Amino acid sequence: MSPVPPPIRGRPDRWRELTPELAERAIETVKNALPFFTAGTPIVHHAPHGIHVDVPVMYLSFAVDRIHYNPETKTPAPKGLPPESMVAEVNPEEVRERVQALLSELSVLSGAEFRAEDCWVVPVAWKSFIILHVRVSADGKELIPDYGLTEEVRRHGV
């Protein structure tokens, strides 16, 4: 008889426990955290057609997400489209200060998505652009850092 391979862990049955109240708690958690968000030092990526600038959004020394920043318009870009710019140079401190000022203009949207990583994702908007996706624990009580971005921020010494 041939050996039986071990099973692969399936998705948790979390969907049975999800309620609108948990989503609302996640939204409230992000609303309560929003005043404590700060702009980190921009990370400039060089691409074949120019540069694009990401500004980490920090909370208690952890990055929660990145804002795609357009150095030509000096505004955030919507999620999903990191703008490439032909601007030769950017002043990181000027970009950080601009994004820090913009953080006071953000609003937490009244909806949450649930992801396979067992967490809520709450969208945050600047004007009509969704510019942040903040992850919150399944119980809606804790922010979940973007650990990859946090490591990138620490690697760059920013």
Side-chain angles (χ1 to χ4, degrees):
M1 181 176 228
S2 61
V4 177
I8 295 175
R9 181 177 163 201
R11 291 176 120 167
D13 284 338
R14 174 76 64 197
W15 65 270
R16 296 174 198 242
E17 302 168 17
L18 298 180
T19 64
E21 291 77 21
L22 289 175
E24 289 165 13
R25 184 185 297 157
I27 294 163
E28 281 303 310
T29 296
V30 176
K31 285 180 180 177
N32 292 335
L34 190 61
F36 300 99
F37 287 180
T38 59
T41 301
I43 300 169
V44 179
H45 302 275
H46 296 276
H49 302 293
I51 63 168
H52 74 265
V53 180
D54 288 333
V55 180
V57 174
M58 307 300 291
Y59 177 74
L60 302 177
S61 76
F62 288 93
V64 292
D65 200 7
R66 67 185 76 219
I67 292 176
H68 301 308
Y69 182 80
N70 186 333
E72 293 175 14
T73 61
K74 299 185 187 311
T75 60
K79 270 296 194 198
L81 184 65
E84 288 187 351
S85 171
M86 295 308 290
V87 171
E89 289 184 35
V90 294
N91 179 330
E93 189 55 29
E94 180 182 304
V95 172
R96 193 198 64 72
E97 287 174 5
R98 174 73 176 132
V99 171
Q100 184 64 43
L102 290 170
L103 291 177
S104 66
E105 301 174 23
L106 301 185
S107 58
V108 178
L109 301 184
S110 294
E113 170 186 348
F114 199 79
R115 295 218 178 138
E117 305 96 87
D118 202 29
C119 67
W120 295 102
V121 174
V122 178
V124 178
W126 173 78
K127 299 194 178 195
S128 58
F129 290 168
I130 292 175
I131 64 166
L132 291 173
H133 290 144
V134 180
R135 296 180 321 147
V136 181
S137 60
D139 64 6
K141 294 180 180 178
E142 300 173 324
L143 296 186
I144 300 174
D146 180 330
Y147 291 109
L149 179 57
T150 298
E151 286 305 311
E152 185 175 357
V153 166
R154 291 177 180 162
R155 239 186 349 264
H156 285 90
V158 293

